[in-house]
Amino acid sequence: MTAENPTGPLGGHLDDDDFPAYTMGRAAAMLGTTQGFLRAIGEARLITPLRSAGGHRRYSRYQLRIAARARELVDRGTPIDAACRIVILEDQLEEAQRINAEYRRQADASAGPTAV
């Protein structure tokens, strides 16, 4: 078995943060929350779990990290809808900062060394 041709039950998804590997029950247990909480953040459109062939919700590690952040806010007394909005805005800010940093790197690279 090589990295280019993975085999086995996971089919190379062991390191894939976006692979929907966790059932709702397992995800809730990992987060220390209820399945109702996961449904609520889904209804608030914070995360959209994928569905198995049988229609069961499946969550990725990335989605679990987002849900954990929302749970932190809810545990501090933030209403669930507000917590979801905060997490969405934090994610958008992080992405904007990443893009901005990339533009700066490109601008610095194209400017080249300056003569003094």
Side-chain angles (χ1 to χ4, degrees):
M1 174 169 58
T2 65
E4 294 81 27
N5 188 18
T7 60
L10 294 176
H13 297 292
L14 193 58
D15 294 327
D16 185 352
D17 270 357
D18 295 317
F19 183 71
Y22 304 99
T23 63
M24 177 180 271
R26 179 70 180 133
M30 290 172 69
L31 294 171
T33 190
T34 64
Q35 294 180 14
F37 175 79
L38 291 173
R39 280 188 214 94
I41 63 174
E43 289 170 10
R45 299 183 184 200
L46 177 61
I47 59 175
T48 303
L50 294 173
R51 299 284 182 150
S52 68
H56 300 282
R57 291 174 179 90
R58 301 283 185 196
Y59 297 88
S60 68
R61 288 187 299 200
Y62 174 74
Q63 290 172 323
L64 295 183
R65 284 194 301 271
I66 290 174
R69 175 63 180 131
R71 177 163 183 228
E72 288 173 13
L73 293 168
V74 169
D75 287 349
R76 292 183 191 157
T78 306
I80 197 160
D81 287 342
C84 290
R85 185 67 183 141
I86 289 167
V87 173
I88 289 168
L89 290 170
E90 287 174 342
D91 193 50
Q92 289 172 344
L93 175 61
E94 184 180 322
E95 178 68 7
Q97 288 172 331
R98 185 194 63 74
I99 291 169
N100 193 21
E102 180 60 31
Y103 284 148
R104 283 190 193 135
R105 279 191 292 278
Q106 290 175 0
D108 289 347
S110 65
T114 57
V116 177

